Amino acid sequence: MAYKSLLTVITDAKQSGPALAQMAALAHAQDAHAEALCLGVDRSQTGYYYAGANALILQETLNRANAEAEEVLAFAKNYLGKTGTRWSAESGVAQIADIGRHVAHRARFSDLVILPQPYGKDCGAEAEPIIEAAMFEGHAPVLVTPNDTTPFDRPGTILLGWNESVEAMRATRRALPFLIQADLVRIVVIDPPRHGPDRSDPGGMLSQMLARHGVKCEIDVLSKTMTRVSDILNRHASDTQADMIVMGAYGHSRFREAILGGATRNMLEQASVPVFLAH
């Protein structure tokens, strides 16, 4: 079991190095194909910007987006061409309001989408919608790579956040190739429910299921000593020297099909190790 089709989306060469490096490492380790979708983003806002714009201004924004697309395409080709893996890269231009459609289409045919951390200094406004589109519209698992992480070809220790939700179970199933390869998977249960079928053995059924796949598991039951679950998981990842966190992605409908929920957003803002998300 392995991820054979890997995808990353590049809109800014300065932000995409860690994701490209991680994709290349996984492509080499799993004999996979690495694909880079390089997009120039037209950040003008349809509906109010266009109403007062003349043709010269509109052409200038399009020219700038095309130039950005060619720049990130050259960056991706130069990087991937030195990796020795099978790869492909192509460019295009998308309006920021429509970027999700392009990303979702490609993500739908990918086993894993690898993307940079969407929050932080110099991150573009399109970074979060790209992650949302890959997960909620493309229905693909996403590996988010913080800027200062070292790429891995096989994770040693994985933290698996478990709260018995549908999202957590789906993330577990989609992460199985990583879980099977890991030296140890720590199933983390925070303040398990006092009532329910698993109250006497939180995480037990999950560990049994994973053990049948050959996954080496331990269960860590933690108290909610901090306000946010994401803070507890990040601290535990640091304490246990974990290489990756696996968790379900949560969202809610508003103006888009789905917007990252608070717990997911907090995790992506603070994570110091790659985070595997699925919805």
Side-chain angles (χ1 to χ4, degrees):
M1 186 181 293
Y3 302 107
K4 291 298 185 179
S5 295
L6 307 177
L7 171 70
T8 192
V9 181
I10 304 175
T11 60
D12 184 346
K14 296 189 295 293
Q15 300 291 325
S16 301
L20 265 177
Q22 183 60 75
M23 181 173 71
L26 291 177
H28 186 269
Q30 305 203 21
D31 191 27
H33 183 94
E35 179 183 4
L37 177 61
C38 305
L39 295 176
V41 182
D42 179 358
R43 295 176 175 82
S44 55
Q45 296 294 315
T46 305
Y48 66 89
Y49 181 86
Y50 277 16
N54 59 38
L56 185 61
I57 295 175
L58 300 184
Q59 187 60 50
E60 176 60 28
T61 62
L62 184 60
N63 289 343
R64 187 182 300 117
N66 275 303
E68 289 178 357
E70 292 306 311
E71 178 185 344
V72 293
L73 178 64
F75 172 75
K77 285 183 173 180
N78 180 62
Y79 189 99
L80 292 172
K82 300 174 182 177
T83 63
T85 60
R86 295 193 305 276
W87 62 275
S88 60
E90 64 178 271
S91 64
V93 171
Q95 279 196 320
I96 192 167
D98 191 43
I99 197 169
R101 178 172 61 88
H102 300 279
V103 173
H105 177 71
R106 291 304 184 87
R108 195 170 295 127
F109 300 99
S110 302
D111 296 325
L112 180 65
V113 182
I114 303 164
L115 296 170
Q117 204 166 15
Y119 310 111
K121 184 180 179 181
D122 299 327
C123 286
E126 70 277 3
E128 186 179 59
I130 286 172
I131 290 179
E132 293 172 1
M135 283 194 301
F136 297 121
E137 299 167 45
H139 304 287
V142 173
L143 183 66
V144 179
T145 56
N147 292 330
D148 54 355
T149 56
T150 301
F152 60 82
D153 53 4
R154 184 185 67 85
T157 298
I158 296 176
L159 289 195
L160 171 56
W162 179 244
N163 60 359
E164 302 183 15
S165 67
V166 172
E167 290 85 356
M169 178 55 80
R170 185 163 296 168
T172 300
R173 294 187 190 281
R174 302 300 289 273
L176 266 177
F178 282 135
L179 302 178
I180 291 170
Q181 293 174 351
D183 295 328
L184 177 64
V185 175
R186 308 185 78 96
I187 300 171
V188 181
V189 184
I190 300 172
D191 274 359
R194 297 181 181 181
H195 306 283
D198 298 326
R199 64 187 182 278
S200 61
D201 185 20
M205 293 290 288
L206 178 63
S207 67
Q208 182 183 78
M209 183 194 85
L210 293 178
R212 290 170 179 165
H213 284 279
V215 178
K216 302 176 182 65
C217 302
E218 290 183 4
I219 300 173
D220 297 341
V221 179
L222 307 178
S223 298
K224 192 176 181 183
T225 56
M226 306 173 78
T227 303
R228 300 188 301 192
V229 169
S230 57
D231 291 335
I232 299 172
L233 285 175
N234 279 317
R235 184 179 65 181
H236 199 54
S238 176
D239 291 344
T240 58
Q241 297 183 321
D243 300 298
M244 185 172 74
I245 295 173
V246 172
M247 61 180 286
Y250 301 89
H252 49 79
S253 297
R254 279 190 180 175
F255 305 108
R256 290 173 49 83
E257 179 177 335
I259 297 175
L260 290 180
T264 308
R265 182 185 178 97
N266 291 336
M267 172 58 74
L268 295 184
E269 286 178 336
Q270 304 297 328
S272 58
V273 299
V275 180
F276 181 101
L277 298 165
H279 176 74

